[in-house]
Amino acid sequence: NGGYTLRFNGVNAMRVISGKYKGRHFDVPRNFKARPTTDFAKENLFNILANIVDFEEMSVLDFFAGTGSISLEFLSRGCLAVTSVEMDAQHVAHLKKTAAVLGDDAWSVVRDDVFRYIRRCPAAYDIVFADPPYALKELKDIPDLVLAGGLLKSGGILVFEHGKDNDFSAHPCFFRHVAYGSVNFSFFEKK
């Protein structure tokens, strides 16, 4: 989940929208393969979440973390703990570099395959955010894997970013869908 929309001297930069890191910019290497979550979609997503949760009491797991844009927004809003899971070595190096710059003890970065991590996740979270590549063949399975595993606390929320061709409204844990251009978010609650 990229989130970079700015360019400085030919380098992509992502901007933190709100919270204690509001306005901070972080360079993102040009050759990143991440598809960015637009600032518009990100801002609206966090406005929705602000009406559902108290960020300062939340622990968050960010799957397919990419550039860390979503993780940064959760951190900036004061979440207790944010764990970013990413497989790509270049993305992980960028995440760790950004985490070192911030020096925020609430942020941990894990290099792992998301599907392997789901099977052996050591903790339960209040929020799981997942933004897989839209063409990922296992994309449709992710909500069930997250909700059936021990990743979410009771009443916890899965926010799932996906393309327009996916419809999860018939899922028993589904409670909301919003779309901002080509960015779709489906919300699920662990019963």
Side-chain angles (χ1 to χ4, degrees):
N1 49 63
Y4 47 88
T5 55
L6 306 169
R7 290 182 65 79
F8 297 113
N9 299 323
V11 175
N12 290 323
M14 64 180 169
R15 173 179 62 96
V16 180
I17 293 171
S18 187
K20 64 185 175 184
Y21 301 127
K22 180 180 179 176
R24 297 270 310 256
H25 294 88
F26 296 92
D27 290 343
V28 177
R30 249 197 241 186
N31 57 350
F32 258 37
K33 296 171 272 203
R35 168 197 26 80
T37 300
T38 64
D39 279 0
F40 178 73
K42 208 168 39 166
E43 185 168 11
N44 282 290
L45 167 65
F46 279 90
N47 286 339
I48 290 168
L49 287 172
N51 289 308
I52 300 173
V53 302
D54 179 357
F55 290 112
E56 294 178 359
E57 296 177 2
M58 298 289 113
S59 60
V60 177
L61 179 59
D62 181 7
F63 278 147
F64 307 96
T67 63
S69 174
I70 297 294
S71 294
L72 281 166
E73 293 295 340
F74 278 116
L75 278 172
S76 189
R77 285 163 174 79
C79 288
L80 293 173
V82 177
T83 301
S84 302
V85 179
E86 174 59 50
M87 184 65 187
D88 185 279
Q90 182 186 22
H91 293 201
V92 170
H94 168 75
L95 291 167
K96 288 183 174 183
K97 178 182 172 190
T98 304
V101 167
L102 286 180
D104 192 324
D105 293 336
W107 194 9
S108 60
V109 176
V110 177
R111 181 175 183 205
D112 204 348
D113 172 78
V114 165
F115 297 99
R116 198 168 42 235
Y117 193 85
I118 287 172
R119 289 192 303 274
R120 59 181 179 172
C121 183
Y125 297 84
D126 299 294
I127 298 173
V128 173
F129 180 86
D131 178 13
Y134 289 179
L136 185 72
K137 69 177 175 132
E138 301 93 349
L139 181 139
K140 65 182 181 356
D141 301 327
I142 293 172
D144 283 333
L145 291 171
V146 170
L147 292 159
L151 284 81
L152 276 172
K153 296 176 182 175
S154 180
I157 296 170
L158 165 63
V159 180
F160 191 56
E161 184 175 335
H162 56 85
K164 63 181 168 115
D165 296 332
N166 302 99
D167 180 1
F168 296 96
S169 60
H171 194 284
C173 297
F174 172 88
F175 71 90
R176 184 171 189 173
H177 171 262
V178 293
Y180 304 103
S182 63
V183 178
N184 289 258
F185 296 111
S186 289
F187 295 77
F188 305 81
E189 182 178 1
K190 172 90 172 193
K191 309 272 185 195

